């Protein structure tokens, strides 16, 4: 691999991604398509149309903002600055699920869709029953989708070498049975034991076969659920944000720029009033290389989706020297600004590890208490 390599640790940390050459701030380290990806169940239910393979939105920026704001008369200026190519839109000839291109349709069929193709209008189909059960257990904001797990199983089952395909996913697993159970408990909530068994039984109704039996046992299913819960990379795509990014690159006068900024601000006001913060086509995917990136509270790289689909790009946010580990943040920007204790607490709860990155080590002398700005209103009231 040019510029980086995956190395194994001799500890529970598993793997790490290391630079083999120098990267400057802004350099692209890698780009990668996921092994599998999937739109979130509630996201699809709320009419966020997306390619069933690559998650590219299947509407123009203007259609997108009109739907999100419920204002059908909005007209976007400079609409030609971001090209939304929907001319190649196609669907499965049997189930009519939509794809952005024939290439995506064929890729989906070859990797998972041949087994999973079903009548989406049939509420009694095993997949529809599984999806409905999942939605009742996992309300927005979503972090994964049971169909990502199902697509993993279909990927293995459809592969020309199922054993090698299974190994691709086993590389993501390096926890104990108890740790898996703890992670799934976090994902599913208080009723997780009964819910997990329900999901396992419903999944077996959807897909079964010789090469996936180990993943359908109670322990194997728990491990697979923990896998998608911790290694699933969130994916967000938006025609509106892609148009905004493109239009801000245009050359124009200061007056035109000011008017455009005001117009964009107003657009987001309209959208927020109607749709809140639920703006993007959202889902998750499993990435072989990007998943090797460990966490740091002072990351030297960040992931993004510059192509408006599930293809991920990893960029350096500061200089990285040869031999240095390439790290991203598992926490959002808000959480990163919090105290060491608060960051450690969130990472321990959601990822079951104690962070000893350079920043955490430097801040080790900080008191182990949660600062007031990190606490919920209920916690603050309880202390008063």
């Amino acid at each position: 691999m040019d510029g980086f390599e995956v190395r194994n640790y001799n500890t529970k940390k598993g793997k790490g991604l290391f630079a083999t050459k120098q990267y400057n701030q802004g350099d692209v380290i890698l780009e990668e398509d996921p092994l599998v990806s999937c739109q979130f169940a509630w996201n699809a239910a709320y009419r966020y149309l997306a390619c069933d393979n690559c998650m590219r939105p299947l509407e123009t920026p203007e259609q997108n903002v009109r739907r999100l704001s419920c204002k059908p008369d909005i007209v976007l200026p400079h609409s030609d600055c971001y090209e939304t190519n929907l001319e190649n839109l196609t669907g499965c000839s049997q189930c009519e699920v939509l794809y952005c291109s024939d290439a995506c349709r064929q890729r989906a069929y070859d990797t998972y869709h041949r087994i999973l193709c079903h009548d989406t209008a049939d509420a009694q189909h095993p997949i529809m029953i599984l999806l409905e059960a999942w939605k009742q257990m996992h309300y927005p904001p979503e972090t994964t989708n049971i169909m990502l797990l199902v697509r993993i199983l279909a990927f293995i089952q459809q592969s020309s070498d199922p054993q090698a395909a299974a190994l691709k996913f086993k590389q993501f697993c390096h926890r104990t049975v108890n740790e898996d159970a703890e992670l799934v408990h976090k994902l599913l909530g208080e009723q997780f034991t009964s819910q997990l068994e329900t999901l396992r039984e419903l999944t077996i109704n959807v897909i079964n076969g010789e090469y996936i039996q180990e993943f359908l046992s109670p322990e194997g299913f728990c491990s697979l659920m923990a896998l998608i819960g911790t290694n699933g990379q969130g994916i967000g795509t938006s025609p509106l944000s892609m148009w905004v990014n493109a239009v801000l690159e245009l050359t124009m006068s200061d007056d035109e720029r000011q008017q455009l900024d005001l117009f964009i601000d107003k657009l987001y006001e309209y959208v927020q009033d109607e749709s809140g913060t639920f703006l993007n086509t959202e889902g998750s995917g499993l990435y072989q290389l990007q998943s090797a990136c460990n966490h740091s509270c002072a990351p030297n790289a960040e992931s993004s989706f510059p192509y408006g689909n599930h293809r991920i790009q990893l960029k350096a946010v500061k200089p990285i020297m040869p031999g240095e580990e390439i790290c991203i943040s598992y926490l959002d920007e808000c959480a990163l600004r919090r105290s060491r204790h608060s960051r450690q607490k969130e990472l321990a709860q959601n990822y079951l590890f104690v962070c000893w990155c350079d920043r955490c080590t430097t801040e080790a002398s900080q008191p182990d208490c949660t600062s007031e700005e990190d606490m919920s209103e209920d916690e603050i009231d309880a202390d008063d």
Side-chain angles (χ1 to χ4, degrees), residues 118-370:
H118 67 285
D119 181 2
T120 54
D122 179 7
Q124 297 307 308
H125 189 279
I127 288 181
M128 302 306 291
I129 293 173
L130 174 62
L131 268 174
E132 194 56 37
W134 173 259
K135 283 161 61 183
Q136 297 311 310
M137 297 175 187
H138 208 76
Y139 289 97
E142 297 169 274
T143 55
T144 191
N145 183 357
I146 191 66
M147 287 305 295
L148 187 65
L149 184 151
V150 171
R151 286 187 180 183
I152 289 172
L153 297 176
F155 182 103
I156 295 169
Q157 199 72 357
Q158 279 194 209
S159 173
S160 58
D161 188 347
Q163 290 179 320
L167 284 174
K168 285 185 178 180
F169 295 101
K170 287 179 181 178
Q171 70 170 330
F172 294 99
C173 304
H174 50 80
R175 292 176 302 272
T176 67
V177 172
N178 288 338
E179 287 173 331
D180 283 339
E182 192 174 335
L183 284 165
V184 178
H185 187 286
K186 176 81 176 174
L187 183 66
L188 294 178
E190 291 306 312
Q191 305 300 317
F192 107 95
T193 302
S194 60
Q195 289 183 349
L196 186 65
E197 184 56 25
T198 297
L199 291 172
R200 187 179 78 89
E201 291 171 355
L202 293 177
T203 299
I204 290 171
N205 291 340
V206 169
I207 184 168
N208 215 324
E210 176 185 355
Y211 296 102
I212 58 175
Q213 283 307 305
E214 62 180 307
F215 296 108
L216 294 172
S217 69
E219 273 190 9
F221 193 79
C222 183
S223 178
L224 203 54
M225 184 68 75
L227 183 159
I228 66 170
T230 54
N231 291 284
Q233 165 68 47
I235 301 168
T237 61
S238 165
L240 176 57
S241 66
M242 296 294 283
W243 172 81
V244 168
N245 291 338
V247 81
L248 291 178
E249 295 295 320
L250 297 177
T251 302
M252 58 184 70
S253 69
D254 290 344
D255 285 345
E256 287 176 315
R257 174 67 63 197
Q258 186 176 16
Q259 290 301 312
L260 180 63
D261 288 344
L262 290 171
F263 178 78
I264 291 172
D265 289 344
K266 200 66 179 175
L267 278 184
Y268 278 110
E269 278 183 31
Y270 291 149
V271 169
Q272 187 166 8
D273 288 344
E274 187 63 35
S275 301
T277 57
F278 200 42
L279 306 184
N280 300 338
T281 300
E282 295 181 347
S284 61
L286 282 177
Y287 296 82
Q288 277 189 289
L289 294 174
Q290 191 269 353
S291 68
C293 286
N294 287 309
H295 166 82
S296 170
C297 295
N300 55 17
E302 67 178 4
S303 301
S304 63
F305 299 90
Y307 303 108
N309 59 12
H310 67 191
R311 186 168 181 80
I312 202 168
Q313 185 180 84
L314 187 66
K315 262 188 178 181
V317 295
K318 59 180 71 170
I320 303 173
M321 296 297 112
E324 189 177 347
E325 185 172 7
I326 300 167
C327 293
I328 59 175
S329 172
Y330 294 177
L331 305 173
D332 60 29
E333 289 184 20
C334 182
L336 274 182
R337 289 195 293 269
R338 293 177 177 169
S339 66
R340 174 183 177 272
H341 178 70
S342 296
R343 299 194 311 270
Q344 296 267 336
K345 184 178 177 182
E346 185 168 341
L347 290 166
Q349 285 179 342
N350 294 330
Y351 297 96
L352 297 185
F353 73 85
V354 176
C355 182
W356 286 105
C357 69
D358 290 345
R359 181 183 171 193
C360 285
T361 303
T362 301
E363 297 173 357
S365 60
Q366 288 184 354
D368 284 343
C369 61
T370 305

Side-chain angles (χ1 to χ4, degrees), residues 87-128:
E87 295 176 1
N88 297 320
L89 193 67
T90 187
C92 172
S93 59
Q94 296 181 356
C95 69
E96 299 183 351
V97 68
L98 294 175
Y99 299 97
C100 67
S101 66
D102 197 58
C104 265
R105 181 195 62 78
Q106 192 62 50
R107 197 170 296 118
Y109 186 83
D110 291 343
T111 53
Y112 61 85
H113 188 70
R114 177 169 53 82
I115 287 178
L116 301 180
C117 184
H118 67 285
D119 181 2
T120 54
D122 179 7
Q124 297 307 308
H125 189 279
I127 288 181
M128 302 306 291

Side-chain angles (χ1 to χ4, degrees), residues 361-382:
T361 303
T362 301
E363 297 173 357
S365 60
Q366 288 184 354
D368 284 343
C369 61
T370 305
S371 56
E372 186 170 305
E373 63 268 21
D374 296 340
M375 297 168 67
S376 69
E377 290 182 8
D378 291 341
E379 290 173 316
I380 293 172
D381 290 342

